[in-house]
Amino acid sequence: MLLDRMNGVKRTDYCGTLYRESEGKQVTVCGWVQRQRDLGGLIFVDLRDRTGIVQLAFDDATEKSVFEKATTLRSEFVVMASGKVRVRSAINTEIPTGEIEIEVEDLKILGVSETPPFEILNDSNANEELRLRYRYLDLRRPDIQNNILMRHKIVKVTRDYFDENGFIEIETPTLIKSTPEGARDYLVPSRIKKGSFFALPQSPQLYKQLLMLSGFDRYMQIARCYRDEDLRADRQPEFTQIDLEMSFVEPEDVYSIAEGYIKRLFKEILDVDIPTPLPRLKFTDAMNDYGSDKPDTRFDMKIKDLSDIVENCGFGVFSDTVKNGGTVRAITAKNAAGVYTRKEIDKLTEEAKGIGAKGLAFIRWSEDAPSCSFAKFMTEEEMAAIYERTGAEKGDVVLIVADRKNIALSVLGALRLTVAKKLDIIPNKFNFLWITEFPFFEYNEETGNFDAMHHPFTSPLDECVEYLETAPEKVFAKAYDLVLNGVELSSGSIRITDPVLQGKMFKALGLSDEEAHEKFGFLTDAFKFGAPPHGGMGIGLDRLVMLMCGRDTLRDVIAFPKVSNSSELMSGAPAQVDEVQLTDLSIAVIKDKE
């Protein structure tokens, strides 16, 4: 088929922008054929572009050559149609343009299509791997297009808000020096300096601090970041961060600017009012109550400590755990006994073991008297105290873990989410929460050392400085996370600008002066020339869009995402390169031994 030429004809309207008020208007529209219905002397074509669908009509009044061309149309052909808007004889209430159609006077076929590997439909049930292999087709689906369009609107509101609040958008480099930031760096070999490597930034952290030292007191950037880590539904190896930094601020100032942004964004994009100030919860309280530093607070089911009740009980699993420095914790699933049969509880036990627990004790109160996996070892008084502490009553299920504190809390935190989803008790709303006062260090059991929970430039709370060298477990940070519906949306902190304090921090992390200067010297040297107090945060744009679009995976809101092994199915990246390129870089590839 010889394709038509546009010959100077221009599109006048998008498909989804024509309504009853457009009746009589002469229009030219362009797009893809969603479907063609040939009824003999009457042909209807649904034409689709990114704004929606409009119906094209061909009948006995249509010029013969145009009508014959319409008979050849198939799904995903690209066409241009010109004609007059008229009111439909039968209204379609399922689409916004359902009151009108275009009486086609001229038709141009601009592109033909083979039969696509899947239908271009909302909520396609096609295999995701297949859709990602043909991502350019998947992106034609209206639901995916709407996600990308919402992302565009979110970015626009973001830039407007921060500009109106005095922030300057400044780009930072994407080829930088490798510095330890938690995850593995993506490395880029240098052709000029043989054996040396750039790294792709995990965040613009050091550069945005340097911008504060440079006098740009309010910085922001829609920044691309890269981390070589295992992927999950809410992780990608390359991601986008709404990055900001402010001089002469304390945590309250950062909270205020971030809350103003969230309030503005959700009102403009979703017409949802987010009440501010947002609630806050200290890290320690979040872990004790929810078993997570990013708790979903849309439902209750808090963790309860039973250690004092069972420390001298006859059930050795409980009493021995407490005597050995562990803890016994529980959650209560209200009205869950009808859903959680013994078989279903066994599944939860396997999940708990998969996370690290030795087992799972339970109380299932489905009859007049509760069924309990350990009651025969307990006194009536002890069981009554457990019922009172957990709030258990008829119809409920209580799940109990006895283990080291960190394991017990993390297991119950995970089970809490599993049970809530099973019971379908999570309401459809947006619950924001600040998590504050993070521990500065976390103990690394493999190395026996304390590592920085955040980056090493995070400032400790003033009252904790004295413990830096003597009791690192007592040091808490001026660090904060913004959580939305159980997803970490943002992380930030107030930074260290005192060279003496920074030296103490490096020492506490086990870094010698030489090592610290080798890794961070260009930043610490800058601190010698007058560093303003500053702090900031990075908001995950991809996660924000995912939650605002009501999606479960980042892949639905990124145009060309990676899959779990960090590859892109459409292009085949990463891929091998030829020997000439490797030779230029002085790199040899060592193949794994079979």
Side-chain angles (χ1 to χ4, degrees), residues 485-498:
N485 294 356
V487 175
E488 180 192 319
L489 203 58
S490 172
S491 184
S493 68
I494 300 299
R495 324 304 186 185
I496 298 173
T497 54
D498 178 353

Side-chain angles (χ1 to χ4, degrees), residues 390-405:
T390 59
E393 53 193 3
K394 186 176 180 181
D396 298 344
V397 171
V398 180
L399 304 173
I400 305 172
V401 175
D403 217 310
R404 296 199 308 272
K405 182 177 179 180

Side-chain angles (χ1 to χ4, degrees), residues 317-453:
V317 172
F318 289 171
S319 57
D320 291 348
T321 296
V322 177
K323 288 173 184 175
N324 291 325
T327 187
V328 179
R329 308 277 173 134
I331 56 173
T332 301
K334 305 298 291 183
N335 303 310
V339 174
Y340 276 99
T341 61
R342 180 58 190 269
K343 184 177 180 181
E344 291 297 323
I345 292 175
D346 287 343
K347 291 180 183 178
L348 290 178
T349 302
E350 291 306 308
E351 180 179 343
K353 288 179 178 179
I355 302 170
K358 298 181 183 67
L360 185 68
F362 69 90
I363 300 168
R364 180 173 177 266
W365 200 333
S366 60
E367 305 296 336
D368 289 337
S371 171
C372 178
S373 62
F374 55 90
K376 63 183 179 180
F377 303 102
M378 310 289 287
T379 66
E380 290 185 9
E381 292 77 12
E382 288 167 341
M383 291 305 300
I386 290 175
Y387 299 149
E388 182 179 358
R389 180 73 56 86
T390 59
E393 53 193 3
K394 186 176 180 181
D396 298 344
V397 171
V398 180
L399 304 173
I400 305 172
V401 175
D403 217 310
R404 296 199 308 272
K405 182 177 179 180
N406 63 327
I407 292 178
L409 291 177
S410 62
V411 168
L412 288 173
L415 294 183
R416 177 178 176 270
L417 293 174
T418 298
V419 170
K421 290 174 183 176
K422 179 83 170 178
L423 298 178
D424 195 22
I425 60 172
I426 305 176
N428 183 22
K429 62 179 181 178
F430 297 103
N431 266 32
F432 285 91
L433 176 70
W434 287 109
I435 304 295
T436 66
E437 296 188 21
F438 279 80
F440 191 93
F441 300 99
E442 55 185 348
Y443 185 70
N444 188 323
E445 294 184 1
E446 293 184 6
T447 65
N449 297 322
F450 283 95
D451 299 331
M453 183 171 277

Side-chain angles (χ1 to χ4, degrees), residues 1-164:
M1 178 185 292
L2 189 64
L3 298 180
D4 294 316
R5 298 178 182 273
M6 293 176 63
N7 292 329
V9 180
K10 301 294 183 183
R11 174 170 58 185
T12 64
D13 295 87
Y14 281 93
C15 296
T17 62
L18 299 171
Y19 303 102
R20 182 73 177 246
E21 295 74 20
S22 307
E23 182 183 3
K25 183 179 179 181
Q26 197 73 24
V27 300
T28 297
V29 293
C30 302
W32 285 263
V33 173
Q34 180 72 25
R35 61 173 180 160
Q36 183 246 45
R37 305 184 301 285
D38 191 338
L39 306 179
L42 184 63
I43 297 174
F44 293 116
V45 172
D46 291 340
L47 190 67
R48 182 193 73 244
D49 64 18
R50 65 178 173 86
T51 65
I53 287 176
V54 70
Q55 179 169 283
L56 309 180
F58 306 83
D59 52 30
D60 53 9
T62 306
E63 183 179 316
K64 184 177 180 181
S65 62
V66 173
F67 190 93
E68 289 178 352
K69 192 179 291 186
T71 65
T72 69
L73 296 181
R74 298 294 180 267
S75 294
E76 302 310 310
F77 275 35
V78 182
V79 304
M80 170 183 279
S82 299
K84 186 177 293 186
V85 177
R86 70 185 183 192
V87 176
R88 283 196 195 193
S89 57
I91 293 175
N92 180 356
T93 59
E94 295 183 3
I95 58 175
T97 62
E99 290 187 282
I100 56 93
E101 62 189 11
I102 298 174
E103 183 182 3
V104 178
E105 298 166 359
D106 185 41
L107 178 69
K108 299 181 185 298
I109 299 177
L110 305 177
V112 297
S113 173
E114 297 179 3
T115 301
F118 53 86
E119 283 192 89
I120 312 301
L121 298 171
N122 274 338
D123 299 318
S124 172
N125 59 5
N127 177 272
E128 185 183 40
E129 183 175 328
L130 177 67
R131 291 192 291 105
L132 291 177
R133 196 173 298 280
Y134 294 92
R135 183 61 166 179
Y136 45 86
L137 296 179
D138 196 39
L139 284 169
R140 293 182 190 176
R141 295 196 296 119
D143 52 348
I144 297 294
Q145 286 200 341
N146 288 337
N147 295 342
I148 301 301
L149 291 170
M150 181 178 285
R151 185 187 180 108
H152 161 75
K153 293 175 183 176
I154 289 170
V155 169
K156 183 181 184 305
V157 172
T158 300
R159 285 196 161 102
D160 289 346
Y161 173 81
F162 285 107
D163 175 65
E164 291 165 14

Side-chain angles (χ1 to χ4, degrees), residues 272-292:
V272 171
D273 290 306
I274 302 296
T276 54
L278 302 177
R280 302 177 191 179
L281 194 62
K282 293 180 181 180
F283 171 88
T284 302
D285 293 332
M287 293 302 299
N288 285 332
D289 287 347
Y290 300 101
S292 172

